[in-house]
């Protein structure tokens, strides 16, 4: 890989997930599964439960709202939402977020879709935009609801939430490298037809392809694990990351320090589950918030089913630890719901049909909510917490 361009990257970062979670041990009991399968075999402890008043727009807006104080309306040129649980097949969800946050009108606003890779596509596009427009800021939001269906194989890997990143020159957190290695090929490992909100997955095939794509881009990168202070992986469930680390260990020597940092990088995902586009960046937050401050180069592997795999690097900026959000406080403040309550919340979904619908105010949380759908138009509102 080419050396770091040095001075463009993640200046600020924030995260949001709704106020409810499920203990996957209780889910295992309800499904007649050994809890060890979920906690050890899949590597999850808790799962975010997403009420129908929360979607890719409201969660993305909530994450990005924490960055408003750092956005300069004169410098902001680009707003990107990466999501694979978008709310409209035509209009960019980023435009709803743009409205909810009162962002300036003189910006490009768009949504990027390529499964879980969409957040990375947004981040690297933002990096290139800032390189082409010195002095500019770009806002990148990765936001998703990971939903597979009650009592399905994928159920234990559900979750949801959003990460927002402000990209600029002279970043305070992570300076991104200029180059990366990428591999794209059309495969059918995971997809979601436009008439359903539940993903279709060939789970085991998807896992195999993820590892193949990782090995390919790692091999092409010329990177050595010894050059990395940490290697971060897309985390659809944390065991997937552990499998990727094991594959890396077949390709290269993996130090105890890298293994310890990997454990730090999965702590938040164990509590939230899959955030699709935001999962890699929740891993970044988990690593930075759960480890004593350190320095060096991070390697990040992004995978989006369908599929695109991209490996890129960034260098931690000295003092980054002063600019991290308190994710633990957000997670600790959530309320645990029972399996029965989770199932009721799950079933109360925005219909995939033209009928009007109102969300349940009992589960309103966060600064923004979807109040319902009227005449096939989604109604969003800001709420006072
Ligand atoms: N104690 C400990 N581990 C156990 C166990 C127990 N009692 N019972 C099973 N396990 C382990 C299995 O050995 C297996 O480990 P391995 O993957 O290291 O071989 C793991 O738990 C999963 O069990 P398995 O029966 O193989 O898988 P599954 O049929 O339940 O499917 C997924 C697992 C992840 C494929 C499924 O949840 C899924 O489809 N998820 C969504 C798709 C997805 O996220 N894909 C990745 C896209 S990037």
């Amino acid at each position: 890989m080419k050396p770091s361009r040095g001075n463009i990257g993640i200046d600020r970062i924030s995260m949001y997930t709704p106020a409810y979670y499920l203990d996957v041990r209780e889910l295992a009991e309800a499904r007649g599964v050994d809890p060890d399968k979920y906690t050890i075999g899949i590597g999850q402890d808790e799962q975010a439960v997403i009420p129908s008043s929360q979607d890719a727009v409201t969660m993305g807006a909530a994450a990005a709202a924490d960055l408003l104080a750092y956005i300069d309306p004169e410098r902001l040129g680009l707003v990107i939402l990466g999501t694979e649980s978008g709310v409209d097949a035509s209009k960019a969800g980023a435009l709803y977020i743009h409205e909810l946050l009162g962002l300036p009108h003189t910006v490009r606003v768009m949504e990027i879709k390529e499964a879980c890779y969409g957040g990375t596509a947004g981040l690297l596009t933002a990096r290139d935009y800032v390189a082409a427009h010195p002095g500019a800021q770009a806002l990148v939001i990765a936001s998703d609801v990971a939903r597979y269906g009650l009592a399905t194989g994928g159920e234990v890997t559900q979750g949801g939430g959003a990460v927002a990143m402000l990209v600029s020159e002279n970043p305070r957190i992570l300076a991104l490298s200029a180059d990366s290695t990428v591999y794209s090929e059309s495969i059918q490992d995971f997809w979601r037809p436009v008439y359903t909100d539940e993903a279709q997955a060939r789970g085991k095939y998807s896992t195999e392809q993820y590892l193949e794509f990782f090995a390919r881009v790692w091999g092409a990168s010329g990177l050595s694990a010894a050059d990395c202070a940490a290697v971060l992986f897309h985390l659809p469930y944390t065991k997937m990351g552990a499998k990727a680390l094991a594959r890396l260990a077949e390709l290269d020597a993996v130090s105890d320090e890298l293994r310890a940092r990997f454990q730090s990088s999965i702590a938040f995902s164990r509590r939230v589950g899959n955030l699709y586009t935001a999962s890699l960046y929740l891993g970044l937050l988990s690593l930075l918030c759960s480890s004593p401050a350190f320095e060096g180069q991070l390697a990040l592997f992004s995978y989006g089913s369908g599929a695109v795999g991209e490996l890129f690097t960034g260098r931690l900026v000295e003092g980054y630890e002063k600019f991290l959000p308190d994710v633990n406080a957000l997670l600790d403040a959530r309320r645990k719901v029972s399996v029965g309550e989770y199932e009721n919340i799950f079933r109360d979904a925005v219909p995939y049909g033209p009928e009007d619908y109102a969300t349940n105010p009992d589960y309103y949380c966060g600064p923004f909510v979807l109040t319902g759908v009227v005449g096939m138009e989604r109604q969003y509102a800001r709420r006072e917490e």
Side-chain angles (χ1 to χ4, degrees):
M1 274 188 197
K2 285 183 203 151
S4 166
R5 180 186 283 138
N7 248 353
I8 300 173
I10 302 172
D11 187 46
R12 305 277 178 170
I13 186 166
S14 60
M15 189 260 171
Y16 178 76
T17 188
Y20 313 100
Y21 75 93
L22 178 67
D23 184 327
V24 303
R25 291 167 197 81
E26 294 176 16
L27 180 66
E29 211 166 288
R31 300 289 178 254
V33 172
D34 179 352
D36 285 355
K37 173 172 177 183
Y38 286 0
T39 57
I40 300 168
I42 301 290
Q44 296 301 127
D45 295 314
E46 297 168 359
Q47 166 174 126
V49 173
I50 318 298
S52 59
S53 54
Q54 291 295 309
D55 61 17
V57 166
T58 60
M59 297 189 300
D66 289 342
L67 303 184
L68 278 177
Y70 314 112
I71 291 175
D72 178 348
E74 300 291 317
R75 293 170 59 206
L76 186 70
L78 182 65
V79 178
I80 297 179
L81 171 66
T83 185
E84 60 178 294
S85 47
V87 300
D88 194 285
S90 176
K91 178 175 172 176
L95 279 162
Y96 290 110
I97 295 174
H98 173 270
E99 166 80 11
L100 288 169
L101 298 180
L103 293 172
H105 293 285
T106 50
V107 292
R108 290 181 191 156
V109 180
M110 67 183 81
E111 180 173 312
I112 293 183
K113 178 173 66 182
E114 192 343 74
C116 301
Y117 172 71
T120 299
L123 178 63
L124 300 184
T125 299
R127 178 199 65 187
D128 295 348
Y129 176 84
V130 173
H133 301 83
Q137 290 179 322
L139 176 62
V140 179
I141 302 160
S143 182
D144 269 304
V145 180
R147 188 176 162 95
Y148 290 92
L150 299 176
T152 61
E155 184 180 34
V156 63
T157 70
Q158 294 178 144
V163 171
M165 296 173 274
L166 194 58
V167 175
S168 71
E169 289 173 322
N170 305 317
R172 290 170 176 82
I173 297 173
L174 189 71
L176 296 169
S177 57
D179 215 351
S180 64
T181 47
V182 63
Y183 183 84
S184 301
E185 182 181 339
S186 178
I187 61 169
Q188 202 69 2
D189 61 332
F190 178 109
W191 65 101
R192 183 171 66 80
V194 289
Y195 47 79
T196 176
D197 60 2
E198 291 176 10
Q200 309 296 305
R202 294 194 169 99
K204 292 209 162 63
Y205 175 63
S206 179
T207 300
E208 288 160 17
Q209 289 302 310
Y210 174 121
L211 295 174
E212 286 304 302
F213 275 57
F214 170 66
R216 228 181 242 125
V217 293
W218 182 270
S221 72
L223 266 179
S224 155
D227 298 335
C228 303
V231 183
L232 294 161
F233 302 100
H234 167 53
L235 298 171
Y237 52 101
T238 72
K239 181 69 168 288
M240 185 72 248
K243 286 174 192 270
L245 189 69
R247 178 60 64 91
L248 177 59
E250 291 167 13
L251 303 169
D252 205 341
V254 174
S255 66
D256 289 348
E257 186 173 67
L258 276 190
R259 289 182 194 282
R261 293 209 170 117
F262 169 75
Q263 290 303 326
S264 299
S265 77
I266 64 174
F268 291 164
S269 293
R270 289 194 71 99
R271 298 185 63 187
V272 183
N274 198 352
L275 277 68
Y276 288 159
T277 51
S279 288
L280 176 61
Y281 303 98
L282 185 66
L284 171 65
L285 275 170
S286 187
L287 171 68
L288 301 184
C289 294
S290 313
S291 322
F294 62 103
E295 56 185 30
Q297 174 174 255
L298 308 184
L300 296 92
F301 174 64
S302 183
Y303 177 78
S305 290
V308 178
E310 185 155 5
L311 182 73
F312 62 103
T313 60
R315 195 159 282 281
L316 284 168
V317 180
E318 196 185 340
Y320 71 82
E321 67 278 8
K322 295 196 287 281
F323 304 103
L324 300 174
D326 192 349
V327 178
N328 281 304
L330 181 74
L331 301 185
D332 291 347
R334 298 176 303 169
R335 175 168 79 75
K336 187 171 89 164
V337 298
S338 66
V339 175
E341 193 174 359
Y342 145 70
E343 290 178 344
N344 287 337
I345 293 172
F346 189 95
R347 288 193 187 97
D348 177 24
V350 180
Y352 263 70
E355 58 272 35
D356 285 359
Y357 166 80
T359 54
N360 183 351
D362 291 348
Y363 291 104
Y364 280 5
C365 60
F368 304 103
V369 287
L370 175 77
T371 57
V373 182
V374 179
M376 291 196 277
E377 292 186 46
R378 293 173 92 89
Q379 311 292 316
Y380 289 105
R382 174 189 290 274
R383 64 182 273 278
E384 300 305 321
E385 281 190 272

